[in-house]
Amino acid sequence: MTSLTVEKPPSAETEAPTRGKNSWARRLTPFGYLSPTVVLIVVLMVVPIIMVISYSFRDNVIVQDNSVFAGFANYATVLKDPDFLAALKNTFIFITVSMVAHLLLGLGFAMMLNSPLLSGVTKAIFRVVYVLPWLFTIAVIAVIWRLLLDPSGVINYLLTTLNIVSDGVNWLGDPGSALWVVTFVNIWSGYPFFMISLLAGLQGIPGELYEAASVDGANPWQKFWNVTIPQLRPVIISMAVLDLIWTSQQFALIWMMTGGGPLNSTEMLSTFTYKLAFSEYEFSTASASAVIVLLLTMVLAFFYVRQQRER
Amino acid sequence: MAIRKASRTRLIGALTAATVALALGACGGGGSDEASDGTVTLEFAQWWAPELPAGSFDKIINEFQTANPTIKVKLLSGPYASTKQQLVTGAASKTLPDVVGLDGAWVNDFAKQGAITDLSKLMTDASYDQSQLASQIQLEGKTYMIPVVNFVYPLFVNQDLLTKAGVSKVPSTRTEFLDAAKKISASGGNVKGWALPLDTAVPNGIQNDVMSWLWASGGTMLADGKPALTTPQVKSVVDYVKSLNDAGVIADGSLTMKEQDKVEKFTTGQVGMVFDSLAHINLVKKNAPDLKFTIAPVPAEDGYTGKRGIPYASWGIGVANSSEHKAEAFKLVQFLMDQKTNGELATLANGFPGNKNAKPDFSNSDPLFEEAFKIYQEGTPANEFVGLPKSEDLMRSFDENLQLVLTGKSSVDDALSKSQDSWSSVIG
């Protein structure tokens, strides 16, 4: 005989508050765990961004107590400023050329380091040499290249000794060459990150794909174009978009090498905004400029996020 | 029971995390700077300590603390540029340290923001004898900065290069300078007569290397506090700088040259003459012990016989308006301006004291300092950028227009006219 023991259900009066308490605690627990991160994000990101946006719609902010609402006046001032338009153009050239060169150099070096033609030791040596520029901080890079590119520096010495040029070239002091020179230095300092990422991507491509292509009679170029590139596509797109975002925020290199000069030829959106804020003390227009930069960067970030979702 | 225990553990974990979050949020709240025993802690932000011999500024501050046991000083030391940035943001958010190191170029902006306090009142409240101060930086009759140590910018001349070029006398007039610069540039070895740093990131080359020509001849760039850049005096300076450029005597790369590049070029013998801070004498001697050089007043216009203006920069001091301990803060100011301490600080900094009665001790320093002190006393300290609003921006706009002249993209008259308009929009 089976005996069934029925436990007496807890009385509604005694259990209801405990369940309610448990239910609330359970609901709040995740928020409790999240709270340090949420507080950090709010304090370090949300509040400053909102403050800068609010400054951009006001006049005389920070430096005076009686700031007034100015609508879009600060945006109009910034957008009509020829220096801003020059900075926008320079930034576009700087980030696009840097990104394309980073990609080409990074891919070229990554393929070389992935090549079966080189021995392990040779690859290790080249890997160290190629990654060197990435190990220097921007301040060191700026100082090294300023010294090298000085009119009486090493580069001009070599060029004149080898009779490539008769007089030393004024690399950073010439408005015609300064933008290309700082872009070159940025390319030099940034390609190793592309190289390492693409090398990881190359090493993840299954060898069977190349074998199948060989069986189909594909030549090296066809293998590169139809196997390597499609396989690397997600990495290439992610890196390209991230590089555009990072390079558009490059400030220290420009500031330390040319300060935006000569004659605004290397003025970037970052240096333009900095000068408005910390030299002219025009924090309202500087905020408007910063918000415009934020919006432009968000367009790039949108493409990055969409690409990541597709993956 | 086990489930309840797990749930309790989770809750405790979450509460701990939330407490950490609250603590993080409270981090920005700050705390009281007055201890229960009545000891007051003053914060003092400056760029002086890193520029002085290691530990020497701490020693001076310790002397102050010993003399004032109820006041403690917390030094916030950093390089000039980062101190400036820290103070600009501190001024904006009304969170300046109690005592601040100031450059004359910042005073106007900070005073207008209400970030630094009126020192005249503090001096009166403390019955301070103002007659001992060599100078005070004022705005609308109120003192906002007291120069503690002054640094002059004389002409540095490489005597070896001068001799090699066949010039027997250190140039004293503009004509003599151009002649010497031409001869040095022609002496070969990629050497140039003069260096002109016009980098726009820190455009103080306009103050130290361009306007110094103007002040040396008794000229002025202001008339009744308004810009006066289209005057014959200013025009003659820009014409003269252009003539130096046209003669090819200025070191290459001047449009992006920084002050440290100028010093480096002089130290390495690539440039024969520069205007430089006296504070750099030791640096030059340390890096080039064999370099034979001397200092002289900035050359003046031919025939000028008046007192020569000599450019200077200061380590100034001010007190934050937001400080709750202004009286204690002023005690620190008083201590640094005291005849003995001020003389000691000036000696350590290789500068000239802000207290009239203090005398720098030259016994252990380079004889050139004594020579410079004579030049300083015979001339008039001149720096019209001190006290001007947005002075760095004024220098930058002048710099950009001067660059247009030197690259042949603008005439001198147009450049000065544009600079005048630009300056008028700020101080007109």
Side-chain angles (χ1 to χ4, degrees), chain B residues 143-172:
Chain B
T143 299
Y144 287 95
M145 176 185 124
I146 298 173
V148 180
V149 182
N150 296 313
F151 301 92
V152 292
Y153 280 69
L155 174 69
F156 280 53
V157 182
N158 183 324
Q159 287 167 299
D160 286 337
L161 287 178
L162 209 64
T163 312
K164 192 180 160 199
V167 182
S168 55
K169 183 174 159 264
V170 172
S172 165

mmCIF file of all heavy atoms in Angstrom, chain B residues 143-172:
data_model
loop_
_atom_site.group_PDB
_atom_site.id
_atom_site.type_symbol
_atom_site.label_atom_id
_atom_site.label_comp_id
_atom_site.label_asym_id
_atom_site.label_seq_id
_atom_site.Cartn_x
_atom_site.Cartn_y
_atom_site.Cartn_z
ATOM 1 N N THR B 143 45.085 93.359 -8.356
ATOM 2 C CA THR B 143 46.205 92.448 -8.620
ATOM 3 C C THR B 143 45.714 90.997 -8.622
ATOM 4 O O THR B 143 45.024 90.577 -7.686
ATOM 5 C CB THR B 143 47.288 92.617 -7.544
ATOM 6 O OG1 THR B 143 47.758 93.958 -7.607
ATOM 7 C CG2 THR B 143 48.442 91.657 -7.748
ATOM 8 N N TYR B 144 46.074 90.275 -9.682
ATOM 9 C CA TYR B 144 45.686 88.861 -9.756
ATOM 10 C C TYR B 144 46.894 87.932 -9.762
ATOM 11 O O TYR B 144 46.764 86.753 -9.508
ATOM 12 C CB TYR B 144 44.824 88.600 -11.005
ATOM 13 C CG TYR B 144 43.439 89.170 -10.866
ATOM 14 C CD1 TYR B 144 43.120 90.428 -11.367
ATOM 15 C CD2 TYR B 144 42.443 88.462 -10.192
ATOM 16 C CE1 TYR B 144 41.852 90.967 -11.218
ATOM 17 C CE2 TYR B 144 41.164 88.980 -10.036
ATOM 18 C CZ TYR B 144 40.880 90.233 -10.553
ATOM 19 O OH TYR B 144 39.629 90.756 -10.390
ATOM 20 N N MET B 145 48.058 88.489 -10.115
ATOM 21 C CA MET B 145 49.254 87.644 -10.143
ATOM 22 C C MET B 145 50.449 88.427 -9.626
ATOM 23 O O MET B 145 50.587 89.621 -9.915
ATOM 24 C CB MET B 145 49.528 87.174 -11.581
ATOM 25 C CG MET B 145 50.803 86.361 -11.733
ATOM 26 S SD MET B 145 51.154 85.966 -13.466
ATOM 27 C CE MET B 145 52.808 86.635 -13.621
ATOM 28 N N ILE B 146 51.285 87.740 -8.864
ATOM 29 C CA ILE B 146 52.548 88.350 -8.422
ATOM 30 C C ILE B 146 53.673 87.541 -9.052
ATOM 31 O O ILE B 146 53.741 86.320 -8.848
ATOM 32 C CB ILE B 146 52.669 88.326 -6.884
ATOM 33 C CG1 ILE B 146 51.538 89.144 -6.251
ATOM 34 C CG2 ILE B 146 54.028 88.853 -6.447
ATOM 35 C CD1 ILE B 146 51.476 89.056 -4.739
ATOM 36 N N PRO B 147 54.544 88.174 -9.877
ATOM 37 C CA PRO B 147 55.676 87.433 -10.431
ATOM 38 C C PRO B 147 56.660 87.049 -9.321
ATOM 39 O O PRO B 147 57.120 87.916 -8.577
ATOM 40 C CB PRO B 147 56.309 88.414 -11.423
ATOM 41 C CG PRO B 147 55.239 89.419 -11.702
ATOM 42 C CD PRO B 147 54.457 89.528 -10.429
ATOM 43 N N VAL B 148 56.935 85.755 -9.206
ATOM 44 C CA VAL B 148 57.822 85.261 -8.153
ATOM 45 C C VAL B 148 59.273 85.267 -8.653
ATOM 46 O O VAL B 148 60.169 85.739 -7.976
ATOM 47 C CB VAL B 148 57.406 83.836 -7.716
ATOM 48 C CG1 VAL B 148 58.313 83.305 -6.616
ATOM 49 C CG2 VAL B 148 55.958 83.825 -7.250
ATOM 50 N N VAL B 149 59.454 84.713 -9.859
ATOM 51 C CA VAL B 149 60.790 84.712 -10.477
ATOM 52 C C VAL B 149 60.622 85.157 -11.932
ATOM 53 O O VAL B 149 59.676 84.738 -12.607
ATOM 54 C CB VAL B 149 61.434 83.302 -10.434
ATOM 55 C CG1 VAL B 149 62.822 83.332 -11.034
ATOM 56 C CG2 VAL B 149 61.508 82.768 -9.018
ATOM 57 N N ASN B 150 61.523 86.009 -12.389
ATOM 58 C CA ASN B 150 61.457 86.470 -13.787
ATOM 59 C C ASN B 150 62.620 85.908 -14.587
ATOM 60 O O ASN B 150 63.748 85.836 -14.091
ATOM 61 C CB ASN B 150 61.522 88.004 -13.843
ATOM 62 C CG ASN B 150 60.321 88.626 -13.167
ATOM 63 O OD1 ASN B 150 59.191 88.220 -13.400
ATOM 64 N ND2 ASN B 150 60.567 89.598 -12.306
ATOM 65 N N PHE B 151 62.323 85.535 -15.826
ATOM 66 C CA PHE B 151 63.358 85.003 -16.716
ATOM 67 C C PHE B 151 63.448 85.913 -17.927
ATOM 68 O O PHE B 151 62.442 86.159 -18.587
ATOM 69 C CB PHE B 151 62.996 83.585 -17.178
ATOM 70 C CG PHE B 151 62.839 82.633 -16.038
ATOM 71 C CD1 PHE B 151 61.602 82.432 -15.449
ATOM 72 C CD2 PHE B 151 63.931 81.959 -15.537
ATOM 73 C CE1 PHE B 151 61.453 81.575 -14.377
ATOM 74 C CE2 PHE B 151 63.786 81.089 -14.466
ATOM 75 C CZ PHE B 151 62.551 80.902 -13.887
ATOM 76 N N VAL B 152 64.637 86.393 -18.203
ATOM 77 C CA VAL B 152 64.772 87.289 -19.356
ATOM 78 C C VAL B 152 65.254 86.497 -20.569
ATOM 79 O O VAL B 152 65.786 85.405 -20.441
ATOM 80 C CB VAL B 152 65.727 88.471 -19.069
ATOM 81 C CG1 VAL B 152 65.118 89.394 -18.037
ATOM 82 C CG2 VAL B 152 67.084 87.974 -18.639
ATOM 83 N N TYR B 153 65.018 87.079 -21.722
ATOM 84 C CA TYR B 153 65.374 86.448 -23.002
ATOM 85 C C TYR B 153 66.388 87.312 -23.743
ATOM 86 O O TYR B 153 66.022 88.054 -24.644
ATOM 87 C CB TYR B 153 64.115 86.272 -23.866
ATOM 88 C CG TYR B 153 63.281 85.085 -23.491
ATOM 89 C CD1 TYR B 153 62.587 85.061 -22.287
ATOM 90 C CD2 TYR B 153 63.175 83.983 -24.332
ATOM 91 C CE1 TYR B 153 61.828 83.963 -21.928
ATOM 92 C CE2 TYR B 153 62.417 82.880 -23.980
ATOM 93 C CZ TYR B 153 61.739 82.883 -22.777
ATOM 94 O OH TYR B 153 60.990 81.800 -22.424
ATOM 95 N N PRO B 154 67.671 87.243 -23.383
ATOM 96 C CA PRO B 154 68.656 88.044 -24.108
ATOM 97 C C PRO B 154 69.079 87.356 -25.416
ATOM 98 O O PRO B 154 68.580 86.265 -25.740
ATOM 99 C CB PRO B 154 69.827 88.106 -23.131
ATOM 100 C CG PRO B 154 69.727 86.851 -22.343
ATOM 101 C CD PRO B 154 68.288 86.444 -22.316
ATOM 102 N N LEU B 155 70.004 87.999 -26.109
ATOM 103 C CA LEU B 155 70.562 87.419 -27.341
ATOM 104 C C LEU B 155 71.728 86.500 -26.955
ATOM 105 O O LEU B 155 72.638 86.928 -26.239
ATOM 106 C CB LEU B 155 71.058 88.553 -28.244
ATOM 107 C CG LEU B 155 71.809 88.142 -29.509
ATOM 108 C CD1 LEU B 155 70.875 87.484 -30.511
ATOM 109 C CD2 LEU B 155 72.476 89.361 -30.169
ATOM 110 N N PHE B 156 71.660 85.256 -27.381
ATOM 111 C CA PHE B 156 72.759 84.311 -27.175
ATOM 112 C C PHE B 156 73.605 84.314 -28.451
ATOM 113 O O PHE B 156 73.053 84.188 -29.545
ATOM 114 C CB PHE B 156 72.232 82.875 -26.970
ATOM 115 C CG PHE B 156 71.721 82.595 -25.575
ATOM 116 C CD1 PHE B 156 70.770 83.404 -24.981
ATOM 117 C CD2 PHE B 156 72.175 81.487 -24.872
ATOM 118 C CE1 PHE B 156 70.284 83.130 -23.703
ATOM 119 C CE2 PHE B 156 71.705 81.198 -23.602
ATOM 120 C CZ PHE B 156 70.752 82.025 -23.010
ATOM 121 N N VAL B 157 74.909 84.445 -28.303
ATOM 122 C CA VAL B 157 75.776 84.509 -29.481
ATOM 123 C C VAL B 157 76.879 83.458 -29.380
ATOM 124 O O VAL B 157 77.594 83.394 -28.373
ATOM 125 C CB VAL B 157 76.423 85.906 -29.612
ATOM 126 C CG1 VAL B 157 77.288 85.989 -30.858
ATOM 127 C CG2 VAL B 157 75.369 86.990 -29.652
ATOM 128 N N ASN B 158 77.006 82.654 -30.413
ATOM 129 C CA ASN B 158 78.096 81.673 -30.491
ATOM 130 C C ASN B 158 79.360 82.413 -30.931
ATOM 131 O O ASN B 158 79.486 82.827 -32.088
ATOM 132 C CB ASN B 158 77.706 80.583 -31.511
ATOM 133 C CG ASN B 158 78.737 79.485 -31.603
ATOM 134 O OD1 ASN B 158 79.937 79.735 -31.497
ATOM 135 N ND2 ASN B 158 78.281 78.270 -31.834
ATOM 136 N N GLN B 159 80.289 82.599 -29.983
ATOM 137 C CA GLN B 159 81.470 83.428 -30.275
ATOM 138 C C GLN B 159 82.406 82.773 -31.298
ATOM 139 O O GLN B 159 83.035 83.472 -32.087
ATOM 140 C CB GLN B 159 82.222 83.725 -28.985
ATOM 141 C CG GLN B 159 81.474 84.741 -28.129
ATOM 142 C CD GLN B 159 82.035 84.823 -26.729
ATOM 143 O OE1 GLN B 159 82.035 83.839 -26.008
ATOM 144 N NE2 GLN B 159 82.508 85.993 -26.350
ATOM 145 N N ASP B 160 82.484 81.453 -31.271
ATOM 146 C CA ASP B 160 83.348 80.771 -32.251
ATOM 147 C C ASP B 160 82.866 81.026 -33.671
ATOM 148 O O ASP B 160 83.661 81.324 -34.570
ATOM 149 C CB ASP B 160 83.370 79.259 -31.970
ATOM 150 C CG ASP B 160 84.216 78.936 -30.745
ATOM 151 O OD1 ASP B 160 85.093 79.765 -30.423
ATOM 152 O OD2 ASP B 160 83.971 77.894 -30.112
ATOM 153 N N LEU B 161 81.532 80.890 -33.859
ATOM 154 C CA LEU B 161 80.977 81.109 -35.204
ATOM 155 C C LEU B 161 81.139 82.562 -35.630
ATOM 156 O O LEU B 161 81.420 82.859 -36.797
ATOM 157 C CB LEU B 161 79.502 80.717 -35.248
ATOM 158 C CG LEU B 161 79.188 79.222 -35.224
ATOM 159 C CD1 LEU B 161 77.677 78.993 -35.231
ATOM 160 C CD2 LEU B 161 79.806 78.516 -36.431
ATOM 161 N N LEU B 162 80.982 83.464 -34.661
ATOM 162 C CA LEU B 162 81.122 84.890 -34.959
ATOM 163 C C LEU B 162 82.558 85.196 -35.402
ATOM 164 O O LEU B 162 82.777 85.882 -36.412
ATOM 165 C CB LEU B 162 80.767 85.698 -33.698
ATOM 166 C CG LEU B 162 80.198 87.094 -33.909
ATOM 167 C CD1 LEU B 162 78.859 87.022 -34.616
ATOM 168 C CD2 LEU B 162 80.022 87.818 -32.571
ATOM 169 N N THR B 163 83.513 84.645 -34.670
ATOM 170 C CA THR B 163 84.923 84.881 -35.004
ATOM 171 C C THR B 163 85.246 84.265 -36.365
ATOM 172 O O THR B 163 85.912 84.883 -37.209
ATOM 173 C CB THR B 163 85.838 84.254 -33.924
ATOM 174 O OG1 THR B 163 85.333 84.656 -32.658
ATOM 175 C CG2 THR B 163 87.269 84.695 -34.065
ATOM 176 N N LYS B 164 84.765 83.036 -36.558
ATOM 177 C CA LYS B 164 85.027 82.339 -37.823
ATOM 178 C C LYS B 164 84.464 83.127 -39.017
ATOM 179 O O LYS B 164 85.043 83.149 -40.105
ATOM 180 C CB LYS B 164 84.364 80.952 -37.770
ATOM 181 C CG LYS B 164 84.780 80.021 -38.888
ATOM 182 C CD LYS B 164 84.070 78.688 -38.751
ATOM 183 C CE LYS B 164 84.090 77.951 -40.068
ATOM 184 N NZ LYS B 164 83.071 76.906 -40.137
ATOM 185 N N ALA B 165 83.328 83.821 -38.763
ATOM 186 C CA ALA B 165 82.701 84.607 -39.843
ATOM 187 C C ALA B 165 83.383 85.956 -40.014
ATOM 188 O O ALA B 165 83.011 86.736 -40.895
ATOM 189 C CB ALA B 165 81.218 84.790 -39.533
ATOM 190 N N GLY B 166 84.330 86.255 -39.144
ATOM 191 C CA GLY B 166 85.066 87.516 -39.278
ATOM 192 C C GLY B 166 84.349 88.696 -38.657
ATOM 193 O O GLY B 166 84.572 89.849 -39.039
ATOM 194 N N VAL B 167 83.456 88.437 -37.718
ATOM 195 C CA VAL B 167 82.752 89.535 -37.047
ATOM 196 C C VAL B 167 83.397 89.717 -35.672
ATOM 197 O O VAL B 167 83.452 88.788 -34.878
ATOM 198 C CB VAL B 167 81.242 89.220 -36.901
ATOM 199 C CG1 VAL B 167 80.509 90.385 -36.248
ATOM 200 C CG2 VAL B 167 80.637 88.878 -38.247
ATOM 201 N N SER B 168 83.865 90.937 -35.411
ATOM 202 C CA SER B 168 84.625 91.137 -34.173
ATOM 203 C C SER B 168 83.752 91.556 -33.003
ATOM 204 O O SER B 168 84.116 91.364 -31.853
ATOM 205 C CB SER B 168 85.712 92.183 -34.417
ATOM 206 O OG SER B 168 85.101 93.352 -34.920
ATOM 207 N N LYS B 169 82.583 92.107 -33.293
ATOM 208 C CA LYS B 169 81.776 92.682 -32.208
ATOM 209 C C LYS B 169 80.384 92.021 -32.172
ATOM 210 O O LYS B 169 79.782 91.762 -33.230
ATOM 211 C CB LYS B 169 81.640 94.184 -32.509
ATOM 212 C CG LYS B 169 80.910 94.972 -31.486
ATOM 213 C CD LYS B 169 80.986 96.469 -31.861
ATOM 214 C CE LYS B 169 79.879 97.250 -31.207
ATOM 215 N NZ LYS B 169 78.707 97.489 -31.990
ATOM 216 N N VAL B 170 79.921 91.754 -30.971
ATOM 217 C CA VAL B 170 78.563 91.198 -30.834
ATOM 218 C C VAL B 170 77.577 92.255 -31.330
ATOM 219 O O VAL B 170 77.651 93.411 -30.916
ATOM 220 C CB VAL B 170 78.274 90.845 -29.355
ATOM 221 C CG1 VAL B 170 76.812 90.447 -29.172
ATOM 222 C CG2 VAL B 170 79.184 89.730 -28.884
ATOM 223 N N PRO B 171 76.651 91.889 -32.249
ATOM 224 C CA PRO B 171 75.775 92.920 -32.831
ATOM 225 C C PRO B 171 74.892 93.606 -31.797
ATOM 226 O O PRO B 171 74.370 92.962 -30.885
ATOM 227 C CB PRO B 171 74.922 92.145 -33.838
ATOM 228 C CG PRO B 171 75.167 90.718 -33.593
ATOM 229 C CD PRO B 171 76.429 90.579 -32.834
ATOM 230 N N SER B 172 74.766 94.915 -31.986
ATOM 231 C CA SER B 172 73.987 95.702 -31.042
ATOM 232 C C SER B 172 72.833 96.425 -31.742
ATOM 233 O O SER B 172 71.900 96.886 -31.108
ATOM 234 C CB SER B 172 74.930 96.707 -30.377
ATOM 235 O OG SER B 172 74.221 97.692 -29.740
#
